[in-house]
Amino acid sequence: MGWKPHVTMTFRPSRMAATIIAFAMALLCFLNLTAALSPKALRSFGAGHRMTSVFEFDDGSGFVANLELITGTEIYGPDISPLRMIARYDSDDRLHVHITDSIHARWEVPQDIIPRPDSSSLVTHVKERDMEHSEGLDPARNDRQLQLSYTVEPFGFAITRTSTGECLFNSTPPIRQDSGEPAFNSMVFKDQYLEISTQLPRNNSLFGIGESTRPDGLRLTRGRLYTLWATDIAAYKVDVDLYGAYPFYMDIREGGATHGVLMLNSNGMDIWVGEDMLTYHVIGGVLDFYFFAGPAPLAVIDQYTNLIGRPTPMPYWSFGFHQCRWGYETIDEIKDVVANYKKANIPLDTIWNDIDYMDAYKDFTFDPVRYDENTVREFVKELHANGQQYIVILDPGISVGYKNYSTLERGLKDDIFLKNEFGNNYLAQVWPGPVYFPDFLHPKASSWWTQEIADFFDKVPFDGLWIDMNEASNFCTGSACSFDTLTLGMGKNDSDNDRCLLHCVNGTSRFDDPPYKINHVGTYDNLGVKTIAMTVKHYNGVLEYDAHNLYGLCESIATQKTLRDVTGKRPFILSRSTFVGSGAHTAHWTGDNKATWEDLKYSIVSVINSGMFGVPMVGADICGFAGNTTEELCRRWMQLGAFYPFSRNHAALGTNSHEPYIWESVAEASRKALGLRYRLLPHLYTLMFEATKSGAPIARALFFSFPKDLNTLAINDQFLLGRSVLISPIVAEGLTSVNAYFPKGTWYNLFDFSKIVSTGERRMLPAPADSINVHVSEGQILPMQEARLTSAEVKKTPFTLVVVFSADASASASGKLFVDSGVDIEMGIQDGSSTFVQFFAERSLHSGSLVSRVIAGNYALEQGLVLQSIRFLGVSGPVSDVIVNGERIVSAEQLSYDARLESLQVSGLSLLLGRDFELRWAMKELRWATQ
């Protein structure tokens, strides 16, 4: 049989011209081109597969196809045949392609971990159709944005955009012009090796695929291999697999049209990004693709998080500033830190404890001398009285080296620990010494975990949990380990506990040493190095080989449920290891960075990527975790970190202290930067609310707001909070100015309201030692409050609106505000427990207006929330008339105009935020008639 392209077409006379263009572009999916080959794709794997039959779903939403091997090879093991493919529209903007063994069930991400539509349930409701003359998957409804076509032999499929016919993904190999050979392999499907490629245009930009530290910046680099394998390795190690795994990317084409691709697979994989191709090399599972139509970047994230889970709401207080250190040896030392923050007049909402507080590093314990339980409880009571919080760390490893350790005893009784290949509890080593790991796939593990946390909470009412070391990290490597009595008691809060003291047998199975070697930590070794052995079994026989990348996510799910049950409040959880869907349960930080200028700069890309993956509450360790920072570095990092969504200063054991009050220059810079952050808390919290509804990142790359501006695709050292607050930090030593890029429009500095009108260009701006550049763009109405030392105090202050107009003769602006208690489990608009306000403003040459529209206003009324002042930016002259809700303002003290800033300030309003209001103004030559 020959190569047969099948291109979906739907002709409509009224759209004939567009249809012809779409048809031509769709054909380009199958034209020959030259592709750069991945170093790991050079081997030929036979002739691929052919399609043997097609069955259409009765509801017209997709089809099931059977595939058989044409010819294969024994490279990486025998091929699997026959295969089954399901292609289906999940929605008008999402298309799902699932390929697996048609006879034997294979591992895939469980439905209870990431709930999603199950297309296999429709397989019994099908009818056979003529595959030779069918049109693939046709968007029969006009509003379906994607279409699928396929080749019969060798089998391949292509995804195109319905409106333009542009090819977005094509797995059929083109023919190389120089050799006449296929440019890449047809699809390969073996037990421990899956390979599939797609053609790429040379003028697109790819973003995503993580987690790793990216010195090259946000945009994926052509000619690079990206490895996905959850690994405990310091984040200052660049271009290697880190703590999380995200097989998701966004593709931005010329003109800004964007789509997304998720390959939902938890097995280890390499993803090669070539000059004009992208190749997946996966060591197990299934090919499970989801295609998101966009076409705007924010629309892609909306569609992606609609599938994998919307970000979980974070408590209001968590947007305040946090302080942590590995090395606070006593509770008295922590008390001094909190007192020093207050003395230095630097905001602090939450104090954290690293593993120092534990008794011999055992989970759910306090050291009886250094962290006496009663003393800690009284301290936490004082924190709560001051509107502050307390968070502690938990590691998953449960110590087995001590008698009468009730957490271990209850876990043994419920039999919830991971098992080695011989059926015994799997022994590993972390900070307490010998440990067992809970199996969070076990149905009894959640109730055991809940009981342990509940008992711990009864001792000390902490406000959140930090789950660390959950890749899972293991100081030993081996499929079966044992210990002797000399190992017992090693967990005596000794920082040298990371030497393996167990006696281990290294795994030699096909799972520990699979036939295809992913580029794990840059050089291949046993997959189980410094983690759980690949032959270890979870509940129901699930292998660690398959579930490894899910460990942190599963622990996050269990912890979130537990905190909801135990506290009755909105949980705050910070997890190191994450996977697709983790944002629905936890916040994240970028891991163990270092006190270097490079790490400061890298953090921006890492934070943006996390938000893109669906985890918007993210930050990096401010001033650097490892190594000794300098005064200048810490000052600049405090300025940058003040605008991370999650803002925490954190240092490692053995490093010099770098709390911001240590140096006066850092303290001064921190007061200024954190002061603005705390004034912006209403904006940050409203962005959190939006994230829970649409997945929109809090910290965003500039291209999210300006996708048609190609310059924004290369901006790696600036970011936006929401759609229009631009952060332009200093990222290199010795600089007192910043060369910042400003997309086209009018921008105002949020510190002094100085103006920049940009055509889409870089501007050199002063950045003295105590300052960071923060600007807001035209079209934004920004809700703000007053700076205080805690978020609880900020909530009591009146609101201000900053309304930003463009320089055009006629301009408009809009904004939103969401308020609630900040701790209710749900974060939604509900009368009596929250209030949502939309603001709309317009301005002409002679007049302007601002109105609010309130939904569920009772909460704001009950809380007495008031709008005290409004600053209008971009008003070209003084006003003579301001009318608020029909009443003219006559007091000159309430009105001020600054011609230099083009700023109109209206003060002393005391407007209730829970009620609609209308404000109008006129220039001096025009007066409004009052009603």
Side-chain angles (χ1 to χ4, degrees):
M1 295 178 66
W3 177 74
K4 298 178 175 66
H6 291 258
V7 182
T8 301
M9 288 306 307
T10 303
F11 289 91
R12 300 179 180 87
S14 62
R15 301 173 60 199
M16 182 59 69
T19 300
I20 293 172
I21 294 172
F23 179 73
M25 293 195 68
L27 283 177
L28 290 176
C29 277
F30 301 100
L31 293 181
N32 298 345
L33 52 84
T34 301
L37 291 182
S38 157
K40 296 198 174 189
L42 293 175
R43 290 177 170 179
S44 173
F45 286 89
H49 299 75
R50 67 168 64 92
M51 186 179 288
T52 58
S53 58
V54 177
F55 299 85
E56 190 174 58
F57 292 138
D58 289 346
D59 63 2
S61 63
F63 64 84
V64 182
N66 292 314
L67 311 173
E68 69 176 14
L69 188 69
I70 302 172
T71 60
T73 69
E74 291 298 315
I75 301 171
Y76 302 148
D79 294 88
I80 293 176
S81 181
L83 301 176
R84 184 185 70 184
M85 169 189 178
I86 298 177
R88 182 173 183 265
Y89 286 108
D90 282 347
S91 64
D92 292 337
D93 50 26
R94 188 174 85 217
L95 199 157
H96 183 201
V97 176
H98 183 278
I99 302 174
T100 188
D101 187 333
S102 65
I103 298 176
H104 302 102
R106 290 181 61 78
W107 166 260
E108 50 189 296
V109 177
Q111 285 279 345
D112 59 341
I113 302 300
I114 301 180
R116 56 200 187 276
D118 183 7
S119 299
S120 63
S121 63
L122 300 175
V123 170
T124 57
H125 304 283
V126 296
K127 56 187 177 183
E128 189 167 8
R129 70 180 183 180
D130 183 357
M131 66 178 178
E132 295 293 338
H133 299 95
S134 67
E135 295 184 329
L137 191 57
D138 187 355
R141 287 167 34 186
N142 294 347
D143 46 1
R144 284 179 174 166
Q145 299 179 39
L146 300 173
Q147 60 191 70
L148 179 145
S149 52
Y150 55 76
T151 55
V152 174
E153 182 175 354
F155 164 75
F157 69 91
I159 308 297
T160 54
R161 191 178 296 282
T162 306
S163 59
T164 62
E166 184 178 17
C167 186
L168 308 182
F169 189 98
N170 183 9
S171 71
T172 301
I175 304 303
R176 299 184 64 179
Q177 295 174 348
D178 56 351
S179 66
E181 296 296 322
F184 51 73
N185 291 315
S186 292
M187 184 183 72
V188 180
F189 204 110
K190 300 170 183 283
D191 183 34
Q192 288 187 265
Y193 182 73
L194 315 179
E195 180 181 317
I196 192 168
S197 299
T198 178
Q199 303 172 24
L200 291 177
R202 291 177 178 267
N203 57 357
N204 68 331
S205 295
L206 298 179
F207 300 89
I209 305 178
E211 178 183 27
S212 59
T213 299
R214 308 272 175 82
D216 291 346
L218 272 171
R219 188 157 42 188
L220 297 179
T221 302
R222 304 293 174 119
R224 173 157 290 169
L225 197 67
Y226 295 90
T227 301
L228 277 62
W229 187 250
T231 306
D232 175 11
I233 186 170
Y236 54 79
K237 303 287 188 180
V238 301
D239 293 326
V240 297
D241 41 305
L242 291 182
Y243 316 102
Y246 290 95
F248 168 75
Y249 70 82
M250 292 203 310
D251 184 335
I252 301 181
R253 305 290 173 90
E254 285 190 278
T258 305
H259 69 276
V261 179
L262 168 66
M263 214 272 271
L264 187 57
N265 182 302
S266 64
N267 289 86
M269 69 180 76
D270 288 334
I271 301 177
W272 168 261
V273 180
E275 290 298 323
D276 42 26
M277 63 177 285
L278 180 147
T279 301
Y280 297 87
H281 308 271
V282 193
I283 61 174
V286 300
L287 297 176
D288 195 8
F289 283 101
Y290 292 87
F291 299 93
F292 309 99
L298 279 178
V300 170
I301 302 302
D302 186 6
Q303 296 151 15
Y304 165 69
T305 57
N306 185 48
L307 171 71
I308 61 142
R310 300 295 194 195
T312 189
M314 295 289 149
Y316 173 84
W317 56 259
S318 67
F319 288 92
F321 190 68
H322 303 250
Q323 177 61 51
C324 184
R325 176 178 175 80
W326 178 19
Y328 289 144
E329 289 297 325
T330 67
I331 186 63
D332 289 335
E333 190 173 348
I334 285 191
K335 289 180 179 180
D336 289 342
V337 171
V338 174
N340 286 335
Y341 262 93
K342 185 174 182 179
K343 183 178 179 182
N345 205 34
I346 300 173
L348 177 66
D349 256 81
T350 307
I351 190 74
W352 293 55
N353 251 139
D354 210 312
I355 58 177
D356 311 284
Y357 76 90
M358 299 178 181
D359 179 16
Y361 297 142
K362 299 193 302 290
D363 279 346
F364 309 113
T365 67
F366 286 94
D367 185 282
V369 177
R370 298 177 303 103
Y371 280 89
D372 172 69
E373 184 180 308
N374 293 326
T375 305
V376 175
R377 184 168 54 250
E378 287 302 310
F379 171 63
V380 172
K381 185 178 179 180
E382 293 173 8
L383 288 175
H384 290 169
N386 293 330
Q388 294 172 306
Q389 288 71 226
Y390 177 65
I391 291 178
V392 295
I393 195 171
L394 288 177
D395 293 339
I398 303 301
S399 174
V400 301
Y402 296 87
K403 295 181 179 180
N404 302 318
Y405 180 30
S406 59
T407 294
L408 173 67
E409 292 171 354
R410 286 188 287 261
L412 291 172
K413 180 180 178 182
D414 290 343
D415 197 24
I416 50 81
F417 295 113
L418 293 175
K419 307 298 182 186
N420 64 23
E421 57 190 304
F422 308 109
N424 302 315
N425 289 327
Y426 175 70
L427 189 69
Q429 178 191 318
V430 281
W431 298 115
V435 299
Y436 294 151
F437 286 123
D439 175 11
F440 289 104
L441 291 177
H442 196 292
K444 292 185 178 180
S446 183
S447 58
W448 167 81
W449 193 240
T450 297
Q451 187 60 56
E452 299 311 310
I453 291 177
D455 291 348
F456 193 46
F457 185 79
D458 286 342
K459 296 177 182 178
V460 172
F462 51 82
D463 298 282
L465 288 174
W466 173 16
I467 50 177
D468 192 15
M469 306 285 284
N470 52 353
E471 292 71 32
S473 178
N474 181 2
F475 297 158
C476 298
T477 301
S479 57
C481 299
S482 62
F483 63 89
D484 54 38
T485 55
L486 292 177
T487 312
L488 296 179
M490 62 169 288
K492 294 295 185 183
N493 297 58
D494 177 2
S495 63
D496 195 30
N497 283 355
D498 55 355
R499 294 180 299 108
C500 181
L501 299 177
L502 305 183
H503 308 293
C504 297
V505 177
N506 286 339
T508 57
S509 75
R510 65 189 180 97
F511 301 110
D512 297 293
D513 187 17
Y516 175 84
K517 320 299 184 188
I518 61 172
N519 199 39
H520 175 35
V521 198
T523 58
Y524 180 77
D525 203 339
N526 185 312
L527 271 182
V529 169
K530 295 300 182 74
T531 188
I532 299 167
M534 297 298 100
T535 52
V536 164
K537 291 184 179 179
H538 295 255
Y539 181 76
N540 214 20
V542 172
L543 285 174
E544 173 70 10
Y545 179 82
D546 294 313
H548 172 79
N549 284 335
L550 297 177
Y551 195 89
L553 169 59
C554 292
E555 186 188 16
S556 298
I557 292 171
T559 307
Q560 183 191 48
K561 178 182 181 300
T562 290
L563 288 185
R564 285 177 173 175
D565 293 344
V566 169
T567 69
K569 296 180 181 180
R570 188 180 305 168
F572 180 83
I573 304 160
L574 187 75
S575 178
R576 188 168 76 177
S577 186
T578 53
F579 185 72
V580 173
S582 282
H585 310 278
T586 184
H588 178 57
W589 92 107
T590 62
D592 295 348
N593 61 10
K594 199 170 186 177
T596 72
W597 288 96
E598 289 77 13
D599 283 82
L600 179 152
K601 184 175 181 179
Y602 300 158
S603 74
I604 298 172
V605 169
S606 296
V607 165
I608 292 173
N609 272 332
S610 183
M612 196 184 309
F613 295 141
V615 191
M617 189 60 162
V618 58
D621 283 347
I622 296 171
C623 297
F625 177 71
N628 291 323
T629 191
T630 65
E631 180 176 353
E632 182 188 4
L633 174 60
C634 195
R635 182 175 67 243
R636 292 304 191 187
W637 212 327
M638 281 296 300
Q639 292 169 343
L640 165 61
F643 301 100
Y644 294 150
F646 170 62
S647 184
R648 182 183 72 165
N649 182 300
H650 186 209
L653 186 71
T655 63
N656 294 340
S657 296
H658 58 54
E659 292 82 3
Y661 53 75
I662 298 292
W663 304 273
E664 179 51 37
S665 74
V666 180
E668 178 59 30
S670 300
R671 285 188 285 267
K672 187 172 182 179
L674 289 174
L676 180 55
R677 179 192 179 86
Y678 274 63
R679 289 166 57 206
L680 285 170
L681 284 180
H683 178 58
L684 289 169
Y685 194 64
T686 301
L687 291 176
M688 181 74 256
F689 170 73
E690 291 182 341
T692 66
K693 307 308 174 189
S694 69
I698 296 173
R700 308 174 189 173
L702 275 64
F703 63 71
F704 274 93
S705 292
F706 306 93
K708 294 183 179 180
D709 184 345
L710 296 181
N711 293 321
T712 63
L713 301 177
I715 302 300
N716 302 305
D717 52 7
Q718 297 171 264
F719 62 97
L720 293 166
L721 292 176
R723 62 183 172 93
S724 57
V725 176
L726 179 63
I727 313 299
S728 305
I730 291 289
V731 297
E733 186 175 11
L735 300 182
T736 56
S737 60
V738 59
N739 189 17
Y741 182 78
F742 288 87
K744 183 179 180 181
T746 305
W747 299 79
Y748 285 88
N749 186 302
L750 274 176
F751 287 104
D752 61 15
F753 300 109
S754 56
K755 182 174 70 173
I756 289 175
V757 179
S758 174
T759 59
E761 61 201 89
R762 287 192 173 273
R763 293 291 185 90
M764 187 64 73
L765 303 177
D770 66 341
S771 299
I772 180 173
N773 278 276
V774 181
H775 291 79
V776 59
S777 76
E778 63 184 50
Q780 174 76 54
I781 299 178
L782 200 61
M784 302 177 73
Q785 286 178 275
E786 297 177 6
R788 293 291 187 271
L789 294 184
T790 66
S791 62
E793 288 298 316
V794 172
K795 282 179 72 74
K796 301 174 185 178
T797 66
F799 285 79
T800 294
L801 292 182
V802 177
V803 183
V804 188
F805 293 118
S806 70
D808 298 336
S810 296
S812 63
S814 63
K816 303 173 184 177
L817 173 66
F818 177 84
V819 291
D820 67 1
S821 70
V823 295
D824 291 342
I825 290 179
E826 301 299 328
M827 192 179 194
I829 301 173
Q830 185 173 351
D831 198 31
S833 60
S834 64
T835 293
F836 183 68
V837 188
Q838 294 176 294
F839 303 101
F840 306 94
E842 294 182 344
R843 192 222 64 214
S844 67
L845 287 174
H846 305 292
S847 62
S849 65
L850 169 66
V851 298
S852 75
R853 295 293 178 259
V854 178
I855 302 174
N858 284 336
Y859 174 79
L861 293 174
E862 292 168 1
Q863 298 298 313
L865 304 182
V866 297
L867 176 63
Q868 195 69 25
S869 65
I870 304 169
R871 181 184 289 271
F872 296 94
L873 298 170
V875 179
S876 59
V879 302
S880 59
D881 220 8
V882 175
I883 297 174
V884 181
N885 292 337
E887 296 186 6
R888 180 173 283 113
I889 294 179
V890 295
S891 171
E893 294 179 355
Q894 288 186 259
L895 302 176
S896 62
Y897 179 76
D898 188 319
R900 181 180 63 86
L901 299 177
E902 294 188 338
S903 168
L904 169 64
Q905 179 89 10
V906 184
S907 305
L909 292 172
S910 296
L911 294 171
L912 294 175
L913 275 172
R915 292 179 182 161
D916 294 354
F917 71 81
E918 180 179 6
L919 181 151
R920 296 183 293 160
W921 84 82
M923 300 300 187
K924 282 191 173 181
E925 62 269 22
L926 178 68
R927 289 179 63 86
W928 293 109
T930 58
Q931 301 297 321

